[in-house]
Amino acid sequence: MRIDSILHRGNINKELRLTYTYEYQPTGQYQTITVKSDDRIIIRPSFSISISEGFNRSRLFLPSNKYHSFVSLLRKSIDLISKNLYEIFPNVDRIEFEADSRVLERFQTEQALSTDGITAIPCVWVDSTGSCFPGVRLNSLNGSVSMALEDAMPISELLNVFDPYCYGLEIFRAVNNLVTKS
């Protein structure tokens, strides 16, 4: 059984979604709960998160083992970009602007943040009307996504206080209640 829970929708990019996916697997190699012969119970993390730029658009998928690395990387990259905002984006006060290519190149070679196969770099996020926003691009082997800083900041704040393990156990409890009532 798979449950998708949308944790956040974008403010700048209205199609941006942060989705928590819980996958209950009662049997098989990766079953969620295993009872060992010595009566020990093992509960495996059965969650992932994804950030999507919209339906059929770029998406970044993060399994549970990359969750904490990603949360730390996102917070640090937002702080670094915000601290150097006017250096990276010298004309940020205009409707249309670009990143300073020399500064961006320097950030990509000297200050790009990377951990656990995920890299964060500054970018310009452009909406459907052509308005530009300072942003962050996140790349990994499991996809990539670009988002405006104004969307990345609340996602980072949410993930810094969100406990995916407790949330998963709550979902498991709800699934268990549904199964036992059937």
Side-chain angles (χ1 to χ4, degrees), residues 3-7 19-22 47 49 162-174:
I3 299 170
D4 289 337
S5 175
I6 297 174
L7 299 177
T19 305
Y20 174 96
T21 299
Y22 178 82
F47 73 89
I49 62 169
F162 179 71
D163 186 335
Y165 301 99
C166 288
Y167 194 64
L169 289 172
E170 287 297 320
I171 289 174
F172 175 74
R173 183 183 320 175

Side-chain angles (χ1 to χ4, degrees), residues 20-21 31 37 42 49 65 68 70 83 93 103 111 120 135-137 151 160-161:
Y20 174 96
T21 299
Q31 64 190 87
S37 59
I42 298 174
I49 62 169
N65 64 334
H68 293 287
F70 172 74
K83 179 181 174 185
D93 54 343
V103 175
Q111 294 180 310
V136 60
R137 178 160 185 79
D151 282 334
N160 278 310
V161 297

